[in-house]
Amino acid sequence: MNITRMSAQLNGKQAEQLTKYFENQRKGRERRVREAQRLSEAKRITVVNVPPVKVPQKWDKHCNCCGRDWVLTAVENQTESACPSCVDHTSQKEEDSARAIRRACDHAEQFRADRDRYRDFAEKANSEKLAAFRSRMKWTRALAEVMLDHDETDEGVCWCGDPHPCRTWRKLEEANKGIHREVEKWASMPDDVLEERACPAKI
């Protein structure tokens, strides 16, 4: 080994460069530590200081004035003895007859509005029911007419040439036995009965 290199010393410029390098490293570590502490403190303060968000909820209520059920939408459950429609006319001690009459008239108006709303709802539900029945009858008849091409002939075979019941009838029974029985019933009906069943005006 080179003895001269083993015993070599750093010159002034080299020592200064090394000292500066390690000093910069130390300052960098201290800066990173301070930044991490600052971010951690800021995050902790933010979490603590931000209040939780309260979401409005629906609360079932019963009005002690008109006797109807209503829904209160609020952040917290509140003690409400009257619905919004009755707040201005609730019963009071020693109230005059005019206030009592106004309360009765308001209740009558509320009940008429409820009646009209329920009637509209019932009419809509009935209309949707009839539409569903008409749609069901239409597709049932259409399926029955398709299956007529697979009816049994006098020779005991299907119109498609396969032994009766053919693969089409068996497939329908495998898919849904209830529909299979319904189609069998519709397929055996006379044409005039089918027309009457499928006509929306007769429903």
Side-chain angles (χ1 to χ4, degrees):
M1 183 176 293
N2 191 326
I3 301 300
T4 304
R5 293 182 58 190
M6 288 290 294
S7 60
Q9 299 293 325
L10 293 175
N11 58 35
K13 186 176 182 180
Q14 291 174 331
E16 182 182 354
Q17 290 177 344
L18 285 174
T19 301
K20 185 176 181 181
Y21 170 78
F22 286 111
E23 180 66 16
N24 290 337
Q25 291 292 317
R26 182 185 64 78
K27 290 180 179 180
R29 287 194 298 272
E30 292 178 352
R31 184 173 61 254
R32 289 191 293 273
V33 170
R34 288 195 302 271
E35 183 66 16
Q37 291 175 345
R38 185 186 67 80
L39 293 176
S40 177
E41 182 68 15
K43 183 178 180 181
R44 183 184 66 81
I45 294 175
T46 301
V47 172
V48 171
N49 292 338
V50 173
V53 178
K54 295 184 178 181
V55 180
Q57 302 181 44
K58 295 185 181 298
W59 311 90
D60 294 331
K61 297 291 182 179
H62 181 77
C63 182
N64 295 332
C65 184
C66 66
R68 299 183 306 164
D69 294 328
W70 62 290
V71 178
L72 170 66
T73 302
V75 174
E76 296 180 353
N77 192 5
Q78 305 171 9
T79 303
E80 299 287 348
S81 60
C83 66
S85 301
C86 296
V87 171
D88 295 334
H89 67 223
T90 52
S91 177
Q92 296 180 350
K93 291 183 178 180
E94 299 180 359
E95 66 179 2
D96 55 16
S97 59
R99 184 180 178 88
I101 292 174
R102 182 164 66 89
R103 181 169 60 255
C105 292
D106 289 346
H107 286 174
E109 184 64 27
Q110 293 170 16
F111 296 148
R112 281 194 292 268
D114 290 343
R115 176 203 61 193
D116 294 342
R117 184 167 57 253
Y118 296 148
R119 181 178 57 197
D120 292 343
F121 178 81
E123 290 177 353
K124 181 180 179 181
N126 186 59
S127 177
E128 292 176 351
K129 180 187 70 175
L130 293 179
F133 285 161
R134 287 193 293 267
S135 176
R136 178 176 177 269
M137 289 182 179
K138 285 180 180 179
W139 74 255
T140 306
R141 181 187 177 183
L143 185 57
E145 289 180 351
V146 171
M147 297 305 296
L148 286 177
D149 289 339
H150 297 273
D151 202 0
E152 186 177 7
T153 65
D154 295 338
E155 291 77 15
V157 297
C158 179
W159 283 103
C160 66
D162 292 340
H164 193 275
C166 67
R167 183 179 181 277
T168 302
W169 278 104
R170 294 196 303 272
K171 190 63 179 178
L172 179 60
E173 185 177 16
E174 292 173 5
N176 192 306
K177 291 185 178 180
I179 294 178
H180 178 268
R181 289 193 296 269
E182 188 77 7
V183 170
E184 278 188 325
K185 182 177 68 176
W186 278 69
S188 62
M189 292 180 182
D191 290 342
D192 56 342
V193 177
L194 287 176
E195 289 291 342
E196 182 180 356
R197 290 290 187 92
C199 181
K202 298 294 182 66
I203 299 177

